[in-house]
Amino acid sequence: MFTLETKDLILRDIQPSDLQKHIYWLTEETEWWNWDASYWYLQNLKGNNLNEEIKKQTEGLKNFIEMIGRKNPDATRYAFEIEEKSSGEVIGFISCYCIDSNYENTDDDANYAFGIDIPEEKFRNKGYGYQAFSAAINYYKSHGINEVFAQTWSGNESMIQLAKKLGFKLINVRKGIREHNGQKFDALTFKI
């Protein structure tokens, strides 16, 4: 299993034992959906629709875990589980997706955008996001990914502050294209 370490954290490959924690974040500890725009749609799902989406997400995670299990230990990683050293608890994850020159999601191997989630509030505001994202950026750069992107929305002050603290520069603003809880927000793209 691949690992990176910081002062307080271990960034590592996802394991089968992590599946229950991810299901918990999809079913119980859901406040984090407010901050990750890619999960906003789940807030509007109810009953069978929500259950079906959770099943779909769970199957996707199982497939991802199997794929990671087959990876060569030396292969570049594009996702990490974030584990707190002192408790051994998985507290979040870093994931990657590709964006094109217009900063839109693409299936092409283009520009790499990374995101971080720490779903449980008790693990926030401890500097863990900075430690984890900083270690991941250093890892990506050491593997030839020289331009690292991050995307968020104008209401996510924590991510905006983290990006600035890490040295990201705001390179694109798309006005009013995100809607959350009846309000319009800007989509923001940063680069380091």
Side-chain angles (χ1 to χ4, degrees), residues 131-151:
Q131 283 185 50
F133 221 41
S134 181
I137 290 166
N138 289 336
Y139 170 81
Y140 299 131
K141 289 191 174 242
S142 75
H143 283 77
I145 301 170
N146 296 317
E147 293 183 321
V148 176
F149 294 82
Q151 294 184 309

Side-chain angles (χ1 to χ4, degrees), residues 19-34 42-43 50-51 54 58 119-121 124:
L19 184 60
Q20 283 309 115
K21 187 68 162 208
H22 281 267
I23 292 170
Y24 173 72
W25 292 333
L26 287 170
T27 58
E28 303 288 327
E29 184 76 42
T30 60
E31 180 273 343
W32 66 281
W33 295 353
N34 285 309
L42 291 173
Q43 294 174 329
L50 180 58
N51 291 336
I54 289 169
T58 301
E120 295 181 54
E121 292 182 77
R124 296 184 201 152

